[in-house]
Amino acid sequence: MKNFVFISPHFPDSYWKFCLALRNKGFNVLGVGDGPFFEISEECKNTLTEYYCCPFMDHFENEVKAIEYFCNKYGKIDFIESNNEYWLLKDAKLRTIFNVTSGVNDVDVVPFRSKIRQKELFNAANIKCAKYTTDLTKEGLVKFASEVGYPLFTKPDDGVGAQGTMKINCEEDIDIFLSSIDKNRRYIVEQFIDGSIVSFDGIANSKSEVVFSTQNIFLINNDEIVLNNLDDMYYCDPYLDPKFLELGKAVVKAVGLKKRFFHIEFFELKKDYPGIGNKGDRIPLEVNARPAGGYTPDIINFANSCSCYDIYADVMMYDENKEQDYPEKFYCASCSRRNNSSYLHSKEEVIAKYYSNICMAGEFPKVLRDDMGDSYFVAKFKTKEEMMEFDTFVRSKK
């Protein structure tokens, strides 16, 4: 029996479903997390052969001790994975230390976190993307602005979400940016792109071949949600345009994603950008080598009539997708609310009206609320029009 160490199986709180799928495919699933055993859910406990509580996981030596314990008790470790952005680098380092070759090591993981390296790989593969610079001198940024025009957009090279980002509208903003950056971090400064966010989501096998894919459409950019404390709506659209499918596959190949869940963000251009693309074209923004946040894997399942958890486990065990492809598809939306806003319709009214469509409803974990909202409704529909009416009903304010 193969041993799969799943890092942080209790967070996000739906990730026990990955562990269940792995166990059902024949893996011995071993959990390492910072939550006390009595605090993790019964569903999570029941998917694991054993759970090692590591209350100070930010001290890497404690994670090493956890893996050593499992090695001594269960033998060779075949997989180490978290599917969580926060642990990607440490996952890779653990694989290197324990000679686990099923995933990337601490050298090959760099493109999964470095936006600069991703840009280099896009350019090497002739995939059009926004122009950028890493020259953080006043002269360099002024020159770059003269070439691409204001505004510019800055973010940490290894940042997550909207943290540490800034929009530069003029030369004075360059001074503000340079005086505020963390000198110990790398930053990338990009040409600002007027576009909406669309993601290419799925799972790749060991040859960087996409064995399952779908797309998510985001109505509001994440930085706006965080900065303005907005509620949110995004949805899974299972009907991929063949051109976008091929572009997504090319990005997966270029970055070298292997045996991984991926969430690749693209801009859908709202106007023409000479040398980059025309209005309506899609260009890659950044690659995330893990599932999208929150309950997106479940939303993907509702839209595609599938289990991406089982597909993931298939790829880990067999390097292919063995799941049946069901023809019935849906538009599945996640609509969120803020606790400090007053909405036209109560939660009870939403549930009463859309009882047959709602798949999930509840409150997001506190750590996700800045990015995603406080509470949510997930519902699926046969038509996009019905879905948009649902969003209006949920998010209309008094």
Side-chain angles (χ1 to χ4, degrees):
M1 181 177 287
K2 291 184 178 181
N3 294 314
F4 195 115
V5 174
F6 203 101
I7 305 294
S8 191
H10 61 298
F11 184 84
D13 59 7
S14 59
Y15 271 25
W16 62 267
K17 297 175 186 178
F18 281 111
C19 299
L20 176 61
L22 291 164
R23 190 191 71 180
N24 288 343
K25 298 298 179 181
F27 282 102
N28 191 37
V29 186
L30 308 166
V32 178
D34 57 5
F37 184 72
F38 65 87
E39 288 186 358
I40 67 175
S41 70
E42 290 300 315
E43 294 95 339
C44 185
K45 290 176 185 175
N46 292 336
T47 65
L48 303 174
T49 301
E50 188 170 355
Y51 177 76
Y52 187 107
C53 180
C54 190
F56 302 105
M57 286 180 67
D58 281 327
H59 297 294
F60 184 67
E61 64 273 14
N62 292 331
E63 286 188 72
V64 172
K65 290 178 181 177
I67 307 300
E68 286 176 344
Y69 169 79
F70 284 143
C71 286
N72 291 332
K73 186 169 182 178
Y74 298 99
K76 183 182 183 300
I77 303 301
D78 299 285
F79 290 83
I80 298 175
E81 185 57 77
S82 66
N83 276 333
N84 193 312
E85 185 82 30
Y86 187 79
W87 301 111
L88 280 180
L89 297 180
K90 288 188 175 183
D91 292 348
K93 194 172 180 181
L94 287 170
R95 292 189 203 102
T96 301
I97 292 172
F98 291 95
N99 193 30
V100 176
T101 58
S102 56
V104 293
N105 58 32
D106 56 354
V107 175
D108 295 335
V109 75
V110 172
F112 298 171
R113 287 297 299 263
S114 171
K115 297 174 178 61
I116 295 170
R117 182 59 183 147
Q118 289 175 17
K119 292 281 191 180
E120 293 170 348
L121 293 171
F122 297 159
N123 289 334
N126 294 316
I127 298 171
K128 301 293 185 182
C129 61
K131 297 175 182 177
Y132 72 99
T133 183
T134 58
D135 185 345
L136 298 186
T137 64
K138 173 72 175 290
E139 296 76 13
L141 292 178
V142 169
K143 180 182 178 182
F144 181 63
S146 70
E147 295 169 356
V148 302
Y150 289 107
L152 308 176
F153 196 75
T154 74
K155 51 192 173 184
D157 181 43
D158 64 347
V160 179
Q163 294 179 350
T165 64
M166 179 178 174
K167 188 176 180 181
I168 293 178
N169 295 298
C170 58
E171 189 170 327
E172 288 74 15
D173 285 349
I174 292 178
D175 294 326
I176 295 172
F177 165 65
L178 292 176
S179 65
S180 64
I181 59 175
D182 183 343
K183 304 300 182 183
N184 296 316
R185 301 184 75 178
R186 298 179 73 196
Y187 288 78
I188 182 171
V189 181
E190 297 178 286
Q191 170 187 19
F192 184 85
I193 298 294
D194 186 9
S196 55
I197 301 294
V198 178
S199 68
F200 181 66
D201 297 71
I203 301 164
N205 67 13
S206 66
K207 302 179 184 66
S208 297
E209 298 167 341
V210 175
V211 301
F212 169 76
S213 61
T214 191
Q215 64 184 341
N216 288 299
I217 314 297
F218 297 83
L219 299 191
I220 311 169
N221 290 348
N222 186 249
D223 58 305
E224 296 177 39
I225 295 169
V226 174
L227 292 174
N228 300 309
N229 195 39
L230 302 177
D231 51 28
D232 186 24
M233 186 278 203
Y234 70 97
Y235 64 95
C236 184
D237 177 353
Y239 304 105
L240 275 78
D241 178 87
K243 183 179 177 181
F244 184 47
L245 176 60
E246 292 308 309
L247 176 59
K249 288 180 177 180
V251 172
V252 169
K253 279 281 189 184
V255 179
L257 293 167
K258 297 177 180 178
K259 280 203 167 188
R260 295 207 67 84
F261 214 116
F262 56 79
H263 169 62
I264 305 173
E265 296 176 356
F266 288 79
F267 278 125
E268 184 171 299
L269 303 181
K270 293 184 178 180
K271 64 179 185 179
D272 296 347
Y273 285 89
I276 297 177
N278 298 321
K279 181 179 179 180
D281 288 344
R282 293 176 177 180
I283 62 169
L285 169 59
E286 66 182 58
V287 173
N288 299 286
R290 42 82 180 171
Y295 302 113
T296 305
D298 297 293
I299 294 168
I300 288 172
N301 289 346
F302 298 136
N304 289 274
S305 298
C306 72
S307 169
C308 61
Y309 302 108
D310 288 328
I311 297 171
Y312 175 83
D314 277 342
V315 170
M316 297 303 107
M317 180 61 81
Y318 309 113
D319 204 29
E320 62 180 293
N321 178 1
K322 289 181 171 287
E323 306 308 307
Q324 181 178 348
D325 184 20
Y326 291 96
E328 190 171 23
K329 310 292 183 185
F330 300 89
Y331 294 93
C332 187
S334 173
C335 304
S336 73
R337 290 178 163 188
R338 292 290 184 185
N339 291 339
N340 59 359
S341 294
S342 181
Y343 293 92
L344 190 59
H345 302 288
S346 68
K347 176 182 177 180
E348 291 73 22
E349 288 174 321
V350 174
I351 293 174
K353 182 175 176 63
Y354 289 101
Y355 183 82
S356 62
N357 302 97
I358 291 174
C359 307
M360 298 173 62
E363 295 186 348
F364 283 116
K366 289 183 179 180
V367 71
L368 299 178
R369 292 186 182 183
D370 284 349
D371 287 338
M372 307 196 74
D374 295 307
S375 61
Y376 65 88
F377 297 92
V378 171
K380 65 180 183 180
F381 301 87
K382 290 301 292 183
T383 69
K384 189 182 296 185
E385 291 73 21
E386 291 175 298
M387 178 187 67
M388 299 308 294
E389 289 173 4
F390 169 74
D391 178 51
T392 300
F393 193 85
V394 170
R395 294 198 296 138
S396 291
K397 295 181 176 65
K398 292 181 181 178

